[in-house]
């Protein structure tokens, strides 16, 4: 049996180890948040935005983004119908209604035409996803937002380093959020970050992230309902080391993708999600569609790969079908991707030969 080929996983070097050791030894007392501060500054500078709040996870960052807008029960938010459920739950936590829009068949990111169809007088924001590291169609989305006076939240959880027309994902909307969860580009076990250029929005999010604490009337005074959402210093130390290696980590992902592409581009039963012109995907999760296969056949292929110690993943189910939500539209592209999509392994410890093996098994199974 070949070695386990994991779906995702990090590259840990002496840098990560030394930052974490430093944080665990010295990141207390007056240094209790030194790595948190450094992480927030480093991510802000890397993405090109002014304000950041590092959180325990990206779900919390997304919740801050939604709650601090603010969103409430009378509001509707247009959400891509293809994501990890955190995207939609972050909106639902505020009481706002998620209206799910379809995705583009080539990039699996939210389809601007579908956004247009979903707009009602109650629409307040668009929650897009840079799916699997491919940038959403930002020019069109920002134009729609401007035309209809909507806010834009970028769920950039897996998209660290990706670019749209030479500009980093996470720098377009009113706010954006990244994840440092263990399967993402830069990892810290769990971790996330909220970003914005708007100082008032940032201050509202900061209040929410710090239990509404202001110290205005007394030390430990809380002015409003809040959450304990700030990241720990140890976690921030690991995330910072990874962030400082972001370009290298992305280079590795892009090399793995290129090898997949070379093997699979001429296989007629496979459609590869490839970056569009003017976009730079970080290829966090290289993904393919099996247009001629049924859901059962796709699942059988995933099962057979797993029997060979190769851990690939099925595409997300549509969130609009979850019990928490109501579907307003059918979203045929998201339905098709749900049934026929696969994300291939791209863990940082993979070699080019591992990619060869995955492709060889996949082609045999097809
Ligand atoms: C698109 C997307 N949004 C949000 C999240 C939530 O991130 P976290 O696990 O850091 O809360 C994820 C995590 O997988 C994700 O893929």
């Amino acid at each position: 049996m070949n070695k386990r080929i994991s779906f995702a996983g990090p590259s840990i070097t002496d840098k990560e180890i030394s930052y974490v050791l430093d944080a665990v030894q010295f990141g207390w007392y007056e240094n209790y948040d030194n790595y948190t501060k450094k992480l927030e500054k480093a991510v802000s500078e890397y993405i090109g935005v002014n304000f950041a709040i590092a959180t325990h996870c990206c779900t919390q960052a997304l919740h801050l983004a939604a709650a601090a807008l603010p969103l409430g029960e009378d509001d509707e938010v247009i959400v891509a119908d293809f994501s990890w459920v955190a995207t939609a739950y972050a909106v639902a936590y505020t009481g706002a209604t998620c209206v799910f829009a379809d995705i583009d068949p080539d990039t699996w990111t939210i389809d601007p035409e579908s956004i247009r169809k979903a707009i009602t007088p109650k629409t307040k924001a668009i929650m897009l996803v840079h799916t699997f590291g491919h940038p959403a169609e930002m020019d069109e989305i920002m134009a729609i937002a401007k035309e209809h006076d909507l806010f834009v939240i970028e769920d950039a959880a897996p998209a660290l380093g990706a670019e749209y027309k030479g500009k980093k994902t996470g720098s377009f909307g009113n706010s954006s959020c990244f994840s440092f969860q263990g399967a993402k580009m830069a990892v810290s076990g769990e971790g996330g970050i909220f970003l914005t250029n708007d100082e008032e929005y940032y201050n509202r999010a900061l209040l929410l992230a710090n239990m509404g604490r202001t110290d205005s009337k007394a030390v430990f005074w809380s002015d409003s309902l809040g959450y304990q959402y700030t990241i720990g210093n140890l976690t921030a130390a690991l995330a910072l080391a990874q962030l400082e290696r972001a370009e290298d980590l992305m280079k590795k992902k892009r090399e793995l993708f290129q090898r997949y592409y070379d093997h699979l581009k001429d296989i007629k039963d496979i459609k590869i999600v490839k970056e569009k012109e003017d976009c730079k995907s970080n290829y966090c999760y290289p993904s393919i569609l099996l247009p001629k296969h049924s859901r059962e056949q796709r699942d059988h292929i995933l099962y057979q790969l797993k029997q060979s110690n190769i851990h690939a993943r099925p595409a997300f189910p549509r969130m609009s079908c979850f019990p928490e939500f109501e579907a307003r539209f059918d979203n045929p592209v998201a339905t098709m991707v749900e049934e026929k999509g696969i994300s291939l392994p791209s863990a940082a410890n993979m070699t080019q030969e591992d990619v060869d093996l995955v492709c060889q098994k996949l082609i045999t199974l097809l």
Side-chain angles (χ1 to χ4, degrees), residues 10-24:
S11 145
I12 300 296
T13 63
D14 288 347
K15 186 192 241 324
E16 283 78 4
I17 293 166
S18 73
Y19 282 22
V20 172
L21 278 180
D22 183 64
V24 83

Side-chain angles (χ1 to χ4, degrees), residues 133 182 240 311:
L240 177 67
H311 295 254

Side-chain angles (χ1 to χ4, degrees), residues 66-363:
L69 262 184
L71 293 174
E73 280 177 14
D74 292 334
D75 300 320
E76 289 180 359
V77 179
I78 298 172
V79 180
D81 202 2
F82 184 76
S83 185
W84 168 233
V85 71
T87 311
Y89 278 173
V91 172
Y93 295 154
T94 68
T97 300
C98 291
V99 178
F100 293 97
D102 210 354
I103 54 171
D104 178 286
D106 295 327
T107 64
W108 301 3
T109 61
I110 196 164
D111 171 13
E113 271 320 299
S114 187
I115 295 178
R116 283 188 189 281
K117 278 190 219 146
I119 292 173
T120 74
K122 288 184 161 189
T123 308
K124 185 137 178 213
I126 301 166
M127 172 78 100
L128 61 93
V129 183
H130 299 298
T131 309
F132 299 159
H134 194 295
E137 191 48 69
M138 292 315 302
D139 277 355
E140 276 183 74
I141 294 169
M142 296 311 288
I144 296 170
K146 194 165 174 209
E147 194 182 320
H148 295 271
D149 199 17
L150 306 177
F151 293 101
V152 173
I153 302 172
E154 292 175 70
D155 181 347
L160 191 75
E163 292 175 14
Y164 178 85
K165 299 193 174 171
K167 203 167 169 262
K168 290 264 187 307
T169 53
S171 63
F172 292 85
N174 297 83
S175 61
S176 65
C177 302
F178 291 89
S179 173
F180 302 118
Q181 176 263 344
K184 298 297 184 298
M185 287 300 292
V187 313
S188 61
E190 299 285 353
I193 199 157
F194 161 89
L195 301 172
T196 183
N197 278 319
D198 177 339
E199 190 166 7
E200 284 178 22
Y201 186 14
Y202 163 74
N203 283 327
R204 291 195 298 275
L206 196 60
L207 196 65
L208 285 170
N210 282 303
M211 294 294 222
R213 182 177 168 172
T214 58
D215 292 346
S216 59
K217 295 199 174 131
V219 178
F220 302 127
W221 184 264
S222 176
D223 261 337
S224 50
L225 186 70
Y227 308 88
Q228 182 56 44
Y229 273 6
T230 45
I231 200 171
N233 206 42
L234 274 176
T235 309
L238 183 48
L240 177 67
Q242 290 268 287
L243 192 275
E244 289 177 357
R245 297 178 51 226
E247 291 294 313
D248 278 351
L249 297 172
M250 181 164 65
K251 184 165 171 277
K252 168 84 194 213
K253 288 275 191 186
R254 288 179 62 85
E255 282 165 5
L256 292 175
F257 171 80
Q258 190 57 50
R259 189 80 160 204
Y260 276 123
Y261 186 73
D262 292 344
H263 279 297
L264 303 178
K265 66 180 189 306
D266 296 324
I267 308 293
K268 68 175 179 354
D269 287 349
I270 293 181
K271 187 177 167 206
I272 304 170
V273 179
K274 189 171 185 307
E275 69 193 0
K276 275 188 155 174
E277 223 180 293
D278 289 341
C279 287
K280 182 173 186 182
S281 173
N282 66 10
Y283 289 118
C284 190
Y285 307 136
S287 296
I288 58 170
L289 196 77
L290 305 178
K292 296 205 180 99
H293 289 67
S294 65
R295 179 195 289 264
E296 291 70 29
Q297 288 169 323
R298 187 273 316 264
D299 288 347
H300 185 67
I301 287 170
L302 288 172
Y303 172 79
Q304 292 292 344
L305 287 172
K306 201 166 175 189
Q307 295 303 105
S308 303
N309 227 2
I310 295 170
H311 295 254
R313 266 191 359 192
F316 290 121
R318 278 157 301 152
M319 296 180 293
S320 58
C321 299
F322 292 175
E324 180 62 30
F325 301 114
E326 264 174 45
R328 205 172 281 180
F329 304 103
D330 283 342
N331 296 338
V333 180
T335 309
M336 190 248 313
V337 174
E338 167 182 341
E339 289 171 359
K340 298 170 186 293
I342 289 181
S343 293
L344 297 166
S346 64
N349 68 351
M350 277 179 72
T351 63
Q352 298 271 316
E353 290 69 34
D354 292 335
V355 176
D356 299 346
L357 182 72
V358 177
C359 292
Q360 183 201 321
K361 295 266 186 211
L362 184 61
I363 291 166

